[in-house]
Amino acid sequence: MPFFSLPQQSFFLYRPKPLSELPKTLPFLCTKMSTNLNSLENYPTPLSPPLPSISKDIELARALTASSKSSLFGLSRSDILYEDEWLIAVNKPQGIYCDSVLASVPRVLADSTQSNRLSQGNQASSFELHLANRLDRDTSGVMIITKAHKVASALVKAFTNHKVQKAYIAFCIGSAPQSERITIKSGHGRSKHGAWRVYAAGDVGRKLPGGSVVRDMETTFEILSINGQRKHKEPSQSMEDEENNIIVEEKAVIDVDAKKDEILVRAFPRSGRTHQIRLHCQYLGIPIRGDVKYEGVYEWKGRTYDAHELHAESLSFQHPVTGFPVMIQAPLPLWASQELQPVTD
């Protein structure tokens, strides 16, 4: 009978290593991974929506247009709201970058008879020009530029310490609030994707992705008009008695099918967070017209809006050199003045 030989096979027995023989770094790596997972789970949750998908392309187109306009921009004397030996305040146009405004100031100063007299014939380039405050690209209104390092330091400190009173005008689309005056308090910070978001007031101080923390954010709103019906005439001198105080602790419930009103508001930011007014308008369900980043309408009544309608109306502060009170006000843009103009006493 035939003889068949089977191929030889090799067999190995696996013996697990004791813990003492494992690499010394392995326990550390396991601990670090566990810590990172716990940290992710403990990050506060943003309460405002993420950026709408439509905003990416629109914002890119707006940025390119603004870059082109800004490269050709030049201030005129009619843009100057206030000037003395230490400060100059200008009315920044919509759709122009702040740095382009700053770059055009020396020419205006050189053409100014007053500035030439103060500098005793020196070139305007001898001024140490600094931006004391910044406005978003599409926000118009009061912007202050200092003429010396020491003055810049003092005024920036005043802004940082909330010693400067600011008033803004915004045109919003949404369901009109029941109260004519609202104060909203919340947290503010960047989400894991880098977008600015509203957080709960109780999350202030908590760590966010990237190492930053949630900071406090407070804005008071006054309703100026609803669908052309005027409510207030002048900025309030006192805001002690708020009719409606909102402390944000959960996501807002917005009825997307509710009637949309045209609402003109005056906003008083008591902190100075990035996109503060825009974020709070979004949370209240009255996003600013044209503000596609924060759910504002891009098209309204057959018209497309190429920028958000937000205007820095006034700044009030103690002069950093003289100590005297200063109040600088910019004229209203057309979209705001038209909304208030039809109303008669």
Side-chain angles (χ1 to χ4, degrees):
M1 90 185 266
F3 177 78
F4 297 95
S5 62
L6 295 174
Q8 293 184 349
Q9 296 182 359
S10 299
F11 297 91
F12 299 92
L13 294 176
Y14 172 71
R15 181 178 64 86
K17 289 185 177 182
L19 291 176
S20 59
E21 297 182 20
L22 290 174
K24 293 182 178 180
T25 57
L26 189 57
F28 168 76
L29 292 174
C30 292
T31 302
K32 186 174 181 180
M33 289 174 63
S34 176
T35 301
N36 288 340
L37 289 174
N38 290 335
S39 297
L40 287 173
E41 293 174 358
N42 290 331
Y43 284 140
T45 302
L47 301 183
S48 57
L51 302 184
S53 57
I54 189 177
S55 68
K56 184 176 180 181
D57 291 338
I58 295 175
E59 282 295 310
L60 177 59
R62 288 177 176 180
L64 292 173
T65 300
S67 294
S68 178
K69 288 174 59 179
S70 297
S71 65
L72 303 173
F73 177 74
L75 278 173
S76 65
R77 289 304 305 177
S78 62
D79 296 319
I80 306 302
L81 302 172
Y82 172 88
E83 184 180 2
D84 62 23
E85 187 176 352
W86 306 280
L87 306 172
I88 180 170
V90 303
N91 185 16
K92 185 187 93 66
Q94 185 184 65
I96 300 294
Y97 288 105
C98 288
D99 290 330
S100 297
V101 177
L102 178 65
S104 66
V105 170
R107 183 183 61 80
V108 175
L109 293 179
D111 293 340
S112 170
T113 303
Q114 178 186 6
S115 294
N116 287 337
R117 185 179 70 251
L118 292 172
S119 59
Q120 296 178 348
N122 292 334
Q123 296 297 318
S125 58
S126 63
F127 288 111
E128 302 160 340
L129 301 175
H130 297 271
L131 290 172
N133 67 311
R134 285 183 172 271
L135 299 176
D136 294 336
R137 175 195 67 213
D138 292 333
T139 300
S140 58
V142 182
M143 198 174 81
I144 298 179
I145 297 160
T146 58
K147 298 180 181 180
H149 293 312
K150 290 183 178 180
V151 180
S153 177
L155 197 51
V156 168
K157 185 178 180 181
F159 274 99
T160 303
N161 294 335
H162 313 313
K163 301 296 185 183
V164 180
Q165 287 74 50
K166 297 167 281 187
Y168 288 72
I169 298 286
F171 197 117
C172 305
I173 304 294
S175 182
Q178 296 299 311
S179 301
E180 292 187 6
R181 188 180 298 168
I182 302 167
T183 290
I184 176 172
K185 302 177 182 179
S186 73
H188 170 272
R190 286 188 186 273
S191 66
K192 63 181 179 180
H193 299 298
W196 295 107
R197 307 281 287 278
V198 171
Y199 287 83
D203 287 333
V204 171
R206 292 183 62 186
K207 189 176 180 181
L208 291 167
S212 62
V213 297
V214 178
R215 304 180 73 183
D216 65 298
M217 180 165 66
E218 179 179 346
T219 312
T220 293
F221 291 94
E222 286 185 351
I223 308 301
L224 298 181
S225 72
I226 299 174
N227 299 323
Q229 299 299 311
R230 190 168 178 174
K231 301 295 181 180
H232 285 281
K233 297 180 180 179
E234 299 297 334
S236 292
Q237 299 300 314
S238 173
M239 287 178 283
E240 297 295 330
D241 301 322
E242 307 297 349
E243 292 189 15
N244 188 11
N245 288 278
I246 299 173
I247 299 178
V248 174
E249 294 296 350
E250 57 187 18
K251 291 184 178 180
V253 178
I254 306 298
D255 184 359
V256 294
D257 297 322
K259 175 180 176 289
K260 297 293 190 294
D261 299 300
E262 296 181 345
I263 311 156
L264 194 69
V265 302
R266 179 173 280 119
F268 303 90
R270 295 181 177 176
S271 45
R273 310 303 178 208
T274 303
H275 299 176
Q276 173 170 334
I277 296 170
R278 299 165 64 186
L279 282 164
H280 273 168
C281 283
Q282 178 192 31
Y283 185 86
L284 292 173
I286 52 170
I288 298 172
R289 187 166 64 181
D291 193 2
V292 294
K293 181 173 285 189
Y294 298 115
E295 301 187 304
V297 295
Y298 178 57
E299 297 179 354
W300 181 251
K301 294 185 176 181
R303 178 184 167 186
T304 298
Y305 289 85
D306 296 325
H308 64 246
E309 295 181 322
L310 178 63
H311 178 69
E313 182 185 25
S314 67
L315 292 176
S316 302
F317 56 94
Q318 186 180 54
H319 195 287
V321 177
T322 67
F324 293 130
V326 177
M327 196 273 195
I328 302 170
Q329 190 163 5
L332 292 178
L334 190 60
W335 51 261
S337 59
Q338 284 181 336
E339 187 71 6
L340 296 175
Q341 187 176 6
V343 179
T344 57
D345 295 332

